[in-house]
Amino acid sequence: MGPQADIDVGGREDLLRLFDLVRPALEKEALSRPAASGLFGFFDRVGRRVTGIGGDAYQMLVFIGQLIAALGRTIGNPRRLRVTPLVALMQDVGINALPIVFIMTFFIGAVIALVGTNLLTTLGVEVFTIQLVGVAILREFGVVITAILLSGRSASSFAAQIGSMRMNQETDAMQVMGVDRFDALVIPRILAALLMMPLMTFCADIGGIIGGLLVSWVTIDISPAFFIQRTLETVDIKHFWIGMCKAPFLALVIAAAGCRHGLMVGGDVQSLGRNVTSAVVQSVFLVIMFDAVFAVIFMLLDL
């Protein structure tokens, strides 16, 4: 059956010839994609999903290798580092985010103190609310809430910025001019996140403790001076350092996820939106996963 029987092109010979050229490709694609129905369709979807996960894992390993090589080149030759973009990114990633980090952890600390007060008052040991707030904020919630906010705020920003440059072919132009994309785009963002995450975590710790202090003062009449004194006496400094030691690693994971998905953007808007969403989801997932890994490690080390 000829193309005239399949499609009406108004008798135009040029369109008929074009349709004859693309027909084999369309038929081949249709044959290569069987109808996804029943048990066969289920296994087909599972197989495609597993293949996609494997390909994504491979691309992640490639990106990690390129990132390590770029960091090694920068350490070996510090002149390769672009200081002006680094300072601008540090302000955007860290300084501008301090108010929202402080406010979020302030309310987290207040909620922890409120729940602890309601629970411990029934046991007659409401004074232990101070230790609960101190350990929870310094060890876990300060760094985790900061990392999640960094994921939503900076990972998406990194992916969108680099992705828009990919769409406008600016990265291709950089490659033609001999400018390394990792040196120009990835390394400043990685270093900005690494340098600012500890500062943001410290600010989050202060905000959470202040929130717990105010709630304890209002609900169980614990004075601020007594709250601070008991915090210093009963909350070990190791909890602060445990939280702080997580900060650089989580910052590296978040920034790497944002930059990697930005470099994966194609030439259309759908690809940009899909990769920005994937950057946020993946970075939040990695933050929770690695925080659980750290918790197990510190438990085994009896810290």
Side-chain angles (χ1 to χ4, degrees):
M1 184 178 294
Q4 292 87 347
D6 296 333
I7 186 171
D8 183 14
V9 293
R12 293 183 56 179
E13 295 295 333
D14 54 344
L15 293 182
L16 290 175
R17 289 194 298 271
L18 177 62
F19 187 75
D20 288 334
L21 289 174
V22 301
R23 178 191 288 272
L26 295 176
E27 292 177 349
K28 183 178 179 180
E29 182 179 0
L31 292 175
S32 63
R33 294 186 179 181
S37 60
L39 186 62
F40 177 80
F42 170 76
F43 286 112
D44 176 71
R45 290 191 296 271
V46 171
R48 292 180 184 276
R49 179 70 65 178
V50 171
T51 303
I53 293 174
D56 190 65
Y58 174 76
Q59 293 297 328
M60 182 182 296
L61 292 176
V62 171
F63 178 84
I64 291 173
Q66 293 175 334
L67 177 60
I68 293 173
L71 286 172
R73 290 194 302 267
T74 303
I75 295 173
N77 184 12
R79 292 184 179 181
R80 298 176 66 95
L81 179 63
R82 288 164 168 79
V83 179
T84 302
L86 174 62
V87 174
L89 287 166
M90 288 174 62
Q91 179 179 359
D92 183 52
V93 170
I95 303 301
N96 294 342
L98 290 180
I100 184 64
V101 169
F102 183 89
I103 293 172
M104 285 293 294
T105 52
F106 174 86
F107 286 111
I108 293 293
V111 170
I112 292 173
L114 188 61
V115 173
T117 298
N118 292 334
L119 177 63
L120 297 176
T121 300
T122 60
L123 303 176
V125 289
E126 61 272 10
V127 71
F128 286 104
T129 302
I130 301 173
Q131 292 169 261
L132 175 64
V133 172
V135 174
I137 292 296
L138 296 178
R139 190 181 182 103
E140 291 293 337
F141 285 102
V143 64
V144 171
I145 295 300
T146 302
I148 291 175
L149 288 174
L150 186 68
S151 300
R153 190 177 182 276
S154 297
S156 60
S157 176
F158 292 168
Q161 291 169 358
I162 298 176
S164 63
M165 295 181 69
R166 290 274 296 172
M167 291 178 59
N168 295 330
Q169 299 182 345
E170 296 178 37
T171 56
D172 297 332
M174 293 169 59
Q175 191 171 2
V176 170
M177 292 186 296
V179 178
D180 189 273
R181 296 181 301 174
F182 272 75
D183 290 342
L185 301 176
V186 178
I187 297 300
R189 287 170 170 80
I190 296 290
L191 292 179
L194 283 173
L195 294 173
M196 298 309 298
M197 183 70 175
L199 174 62
M200 297 167 64
T201 302
F202 181 74
C203 181
D205 292 341
I206 295 176
I209 291 175
I210 291 177
L213 183 151
L214 291 179
V215 169
S216 301
W217 190 13
V218 172
T219 57
I220 54 179
D221 198 25
I222 292 179
S223 67
F226 179 76
F227 187 99
I228 295 173
Q229 179 185 359
R230 186 165 178 82
T231 299
L232 295 175
E233 292 175 353
T234 59
V235 179
D236 199 322
I237 191 64
K238 72 177 183 180
H239 300 299
F240 170 77
W241 290 115
I242 287 174
M244 292 297 291
C245 75
K246 299 178 188 178
F249 185 82
L250 296 181
L252 177 62
V253 169
I254 294 167
C259 294
R260 187 176 77 88
H261 283 282
L263 292 173
M264 291 172 58
V265 172
D268 57 319
V269 178
Q270 289 182 346
S271 176
L272 177 63
R274 183 170 58 251
N275 279 283
V276 169
T277 303
S278 298
V280 176
V281 173
Q282 188 179 84
S283 58
V284 172
F285 172 78
L286 291 175
V287 165
I288 302 300
M289 184 186 72
F290 281 112
D291 183 67
V293 171
F294 275 116
V296 173
I297 292 173
F298 290 134
M299 181 185 67
L300 295 177
L301 295 176
D302 196 21
L303 294 175

